[in-house]
Amino acid sequence: MRIVVPAGGIGGARFLRGLKAALGIGSPAPEEQSTNAITVIGNTGDDITLFGLRICPDLDTVMYTLGGGIDEERGWGRTGETFTVKEELAAYGMRPTWFGLGDRDTATHIVRSQMLAAGYPLSAVTEALCDRWRPGVRLLPMTDDRVETHVVVEEDGARRAIHFQEWWIKHRAALPARSIVSMGAEDSAPAPGVLEAIAEADLVVLPPSNPVVSVGSVLGVPGIREALAAKTVVGVSPIIGGAPVRGMADACLDAIGVETDAGAVAAHLGADLLDGWLVDEADAGAEAEGIEVRSRPLYMSDPAATEAIARAALDLGLELAGRRGGGG
Amino acid sequence: MRIVVPAGGIGGARFLRGLKAALGIGSPAPEEQSTNAITVIGNTGDDITLFGLRICPDLDTVMYTLGGGIDEERGWGRTGETFTVKEELAAYGMRPTWFGLGDRDTATHIVRSQMLAAGYPLSAVTEALCDRWRPGVRLLPMTDDRVETHVVVEEDGARRAIHFQEWWIKHRAALPARSIVSMGAEDSAPAPGVLEAIAEADLVVLPPSNPVVSVGSVLGVPGIREALAAKTVVGVSPIIGGAPVRGMADACLDAIGVETDAGAVAAHLGADLLDGWLVDEADAGAEAEGIEVRSRPLYMSDPAATEAIARAALDLGLELAGRRGGGG
């Protein structure tokens, strides 16, 4: 079975680990073959250039998580990470100081920046980095073009646009956001392999990633949403009981005028795209017109629970695909 | 008194620490003022770009040593240094792996590379870095132009030119060198402030730096040698008893056909440039035509010994300057 997963950072990466387990895909040992295959379309809207280094937080989180290098507690960055370079840059007076630039991580950014400077597209760079990490999935950036999520914030009555990372990390999403803009999205194209992977997919699964700045950014690349919509698409709600499971997705939903509610998020994603939607038992009554909503426990509390959620998403997907196939 | 010191790495930096002490120049506290001032003309021929980072080993060694950040045991790099970035780059298969890229050091290179990329000349970058380190001297690169020392080596009968750092670090200078070339030197110009500092100097002191690839590189920038030669110049021999005190200067001297001998090095530097030359007691009989040679203990075994050597160099310089001044 071929699955396509548009994914953001921590939530997406953890769900993918469960999905791999559910599909019997080993990692990182490449010899563990499976007839199942996952292609991840990674969000690159969070990417940022700091200190001359091109940083792709979501791609790295997926790569490290699936490749065994993630800091499990933080959910981002490398296990056993140190922050010497960051401290030294601050000692030189370099700004910003709010970004969590780890030493191990810095090497990843140096390799990426060097390859980009040499002319390789991000998709080729990501493939090269994955040569080391062997995440057990095919990890594609959503685009090789530069798309950056900016947030229009209001302070003292004045509005200005800041990079998503500044809003998310420096301001902990606490600065009121008036809108969220995917800069460059209109003129971007899907990275090589993205549309092909979708076309060949048996199923598309939306993990419990941030629906606005993760999944939303991927959907914002012209051509991707349409291609996905032609497939059977099931999603896992990142909202449980009116609050994000992790992160500050509520602030993002507020900014675009969508209620922080499992059903509202499904409706926002749209019945044209979404065929099935898993919500937590706390949201058992949630509905979204034209979308098959099922409830089950959705907390990814441990690997077994996460695998069970992934299996439920697959089951729902296959059921809906069969119905769709049967009904023409 | 205003002193100009053309300097390389470890030997030059340690001597400078003694010279500062001899002149009563405090460091790193800027409030400790002295009527004496040292301008260092730093060798940049060892500079190299690795992993997109511009690395200036000699400038950094001087800056860290005088600013209190040097690893005293190694003589280069930062105290308490770690090598995570280097190990991670190697894990990605990045080459070369032989360069000692420390994590703390990496931040220095990032700041420098960023400023250079923004258009600042190396002299301005060095000044900005010294804002943090407050070395107590004015540290100028010999040039803002790109000059790189390459070594023509012979292996299996075939000759090729490699960067000095590759020869020095990877091959420990053990690969037979046929010649040493200062690439770009002919078309380089002294950095802003270099000729002015020399013109205003009361004395020029050559520290026990490598005479070929450190002092020699500085002298290779058009205009610097002539400007220095117009001044009273005294030097401290880096060769004691027919061997370099530290490093592999003998391999460099071999490559240019100069004997590894205190007197021979003075003669190589030239009587047009050099007025006085301190040699160790082991070389008490050394002579160089037209150069006043004095012998005394020259091992920089501790700060007090180093200060005494610097004081002896100053005394010799002042004596020769007085004689010169008196004699017209």
Side-chain angles (χ1 to χ4, degrees):
Chain A
M1 190 157 51
R2 285 159 300 187
I3 314 284
V4 161
V5 181
I10 301 175
R14 290 194 171 161
F15 177 81
L16 279 162
R17 200 152 52 176
L19 187 62
K20 280 176 60 184
L23 290 168
I25 298 174
S27 153
E31 65 272 17
E32 296 181 40
Q33 290 297 327
S34 167
T35 54
N36 297 316
I38 301 171
T39 298
V40 176
I41 306 175
N43 169 41
T44 60
D46 296 11
D47 295 3
I48 190 167
T49 299
L50 294 174
F51 315 117
L53 302 171
R54 188 65 180 165
I55 302 171
C56 302
D58 281 4
L59 292 177
D60 286 352
T61 295
V62 170
M63 184 172 77
Y64 294 158
T65 300
L66 302 185
I70 200 77
D71 180 300
E72 292 290 344
E73 199 153 324
R74 270 199 302 267
W76 57 267
R78 298 283 308 281
T79 182
E81 188 59 291
T82 50
F83 293 88
T84 305
V85 173
K86 172 184 160 77
E87 288 159 16
E88 286 292 319
L89 288 171
Y92 276 115
M94 292 283 273
R95 298 288 177 269
T97 56
W98 47 259
F99 192 83
L101 183 70
D103 297 333
R104 293 186 173 193
D105 217 18
T106 293
T108 301
H109 308 324
I110 288 176
V111 176
R112 176 186 294 119
S113 303
Q114 283 285 91
M115 287 191 69
L116 290 171
Y120 291 98
L122 182 60
S123 50
V125 175
T126 305
E127 193 179 343
L129 294 172
C130 284
D131 270 352
R132 172 182 175 197
W133 290 103
R134 302 192 175 283
V137 301
R138 186 171 178 217
L139 178 59
L140 303 175
M142 64 189 199
T143 180
D144 277 338
D145 300 320
R146 190 145 168 172
V147 174
E148 279 185 1
T149 306
H150 286 217
V151 180
V152 179
V153 296
E154 188 164 324
E155 266 184 311
D156 306 324
R159 294 188 179 198
R160 64 195 169 95
I162 59 177
H163 192 286
F164 172 75
Q165 294 288 354
E166 184 177 349
W167 182 64
W168 195 250
I169 299 176
K170 182 181 177 188
H171 297 291
R172 305 300 305 158
L175 214 51
R178 297 307 170 202
S179 65
I180 294 177
V181 187
S182 199
M183 307 282 289
E186 282 174 31
D187 300 317
S188 71
V194 166
L195 295 182
E196 293 78 356
I198 297 172
E200 293 169 3
D202 298 301
L203 197 62
V204 174
V205 180
L206 304 186
S209 287
N210 188 311
V212 184
V213 295
S214 293
V215 172
S217 294
V218 177
L219 297 176
V221 177
I224 292 187
R225 185 191 176 91
E226 296 69 15
L228 292 173
K231 295 285 168 172
T232 300
V233 180
V234 294
V236 178
S237 175
I239 304 296
I240 296 182
V245 177
R246 189 189 167 103
M248 302 157 289
D250 48 341
C252 299
L253 289 165
D254 278 355
I256 62 166
V258 174
E259 199 185 341
T260 301
D261 170 87
V265 168
H268 166 67
L269 289 169
D272 61 313
L273 173 74
L274 211 52
D275 299 291
W277 187 240
L278 287 184
V279 301
D280 189 74
E281 291 175 320
D283 302 301
E287 287 187 1
E289 200 182 327
I291 300 168
E292 182 78 24
V293 180
R294 300 273 171 87
S295 68
R296 73 171 321 280
L298 284 193
Y299 281 105
M300 299 190 289
S301 46
D302 59 43
T306 308
E307 181 178 344
I309 296 167
R311 203 176 295 275
L314 289 174
D315 288 345
L316 175 59
L318 291 178
E319 178 190 329
L320 296 177
R323 199 189 293 178
R324 189 163 152 153
Chain B
M1 191 158 50
R2 285 159 299 187
I3 314 283
V4 161
V5 181
I10 301 175
R14 289 195 171 161
F15 178 81
L16 280 162
R17 200 152 52 177
L19 187 63
K20 280 175 60 184
L23 290 168
I25 298 175
S27 153
E31 64 273 18
E32 295 181 42
Q33 291 296 328
S34 166
T35 54
N36 297 316
I38 301 171
T39 299
V40 177
I41 306 175
N43 169 42
T44 59
D46 296 11
D47 295 3
I48 190 168
T49 299
L50 294 174
F51 315 116
L53 302 172
R54 188 66 180 165
I55 302 172
C56 302
D58 281 4
L59 292 177
D60 286 352
T61 296
V62 170
M63 184 172 78
Y64 294 157
T65 301
L66 301 185
I70 201 77
D71 181 299
E72 292 290 344
E73 198 154 326
R74 270 200 302 267
W76 57 268
R78 298 282 309 281
T79 183
E81 188 59 292
T82 51
F83 293 88
T84 305
V85 172
K86 172 184 159 77
E87 288 158 16
E88 286 291 319
L89 288 172
Y92 276 114
M94 291 283 272
R95 298 289 176 270
T97 57
W98 47 258
F99 191 83
L101 183 71
D103 298 332
R104 293 186 172 192
D105 216 18
T106 293
T108 301
H109 308 324
I110 287 176
V111 175
R112 177 186 294 119
S113 303
Q114 283 286 90
M115 287 191 70
L116 290 171
Y120 290 99
L122 182 60
S123 50
V125 174
T126 305
E127 193 178 344
L129 293 172
C130 285
D131 270 352
R132 173 181 174 196
W133 290 103
R134 303 193 174 281
V137 301
R138 185 170 177 217
L139 178 59
L140 303 175
M142 64 189 198
T143 180
D144 277 338
D145 300 320
R146 190 144 169 172
V147 174
E148 279 185 2
T149 306
H150 287 217
V151 180
V152 179
V153 295
E154 189 164 322
E155 266 186 311
D156 306 325
R159 294 189 178 196
R160 65 195 168 94
I162 60 178
H163 192 285
F164 172 75
Q165 294 288 355
E166 184 177 349
W167 182 64
W168 195 249
I169 299 176
K170 181 180 177 189
H171 298 290
R172 305 301 304 158
L175 214 51
R178 298 308 170 201
S179 65
I180 294 177
V181 186
S182 198
M183 307 282 290
E186 283 175 33
D187 299 318
S188 70
V194 166
L195 295 183
E196 294 77 356
I198 297 172
E200 292 168 3
D202 298 300
L203 196 62
V204 174
V205 180
L206 303 186
S209 288
N210 188 312
V212 184
V213 294
S214 293
V215 172
S217 294
V218 177
L219 297 177
V221 177
I224 292 187
R225 185 190 176 92
E226 296 69 18
L228 292 173
K231 295 285 167 173
T232 300
V233 180
V234 293
V236 178
S237 176
I239 304 296
I240 296 182
V245 177
R246 187 187 169 105
M248 302 157 289
D250 47 341
C252 299
L253 289 164
D254 279 354
I256 63 165
V258 173
E259 200 185 340
T260 301
D261 171 87
V265 168
H268 166 67
L269 288 169
D272 62 311
L273 173 74
L274 212 51
D275 299 291
W277 187 240
L278 287 183
V279 301
D280 189 74
E281 291 175 321
D283 303 300
E287 287 187 2
E289 201 183 326
I291 301 168
E292 182 80 24
V293 180
R294 301 271 172 89
S295 68
R296 74 172 318 283
L298 284 192
Y299 282 105
M300 298 190 290
S301 46
D302 59 44
T306 308
E307 180 178 344
I309 296 167
R311 202 177 296 275
L314 290 174
D315 288 345
L316 176 59
L318 292 178
E319 178 190 330
L320 296 177
R323 200 188 293 177
R324 191 163 150 153

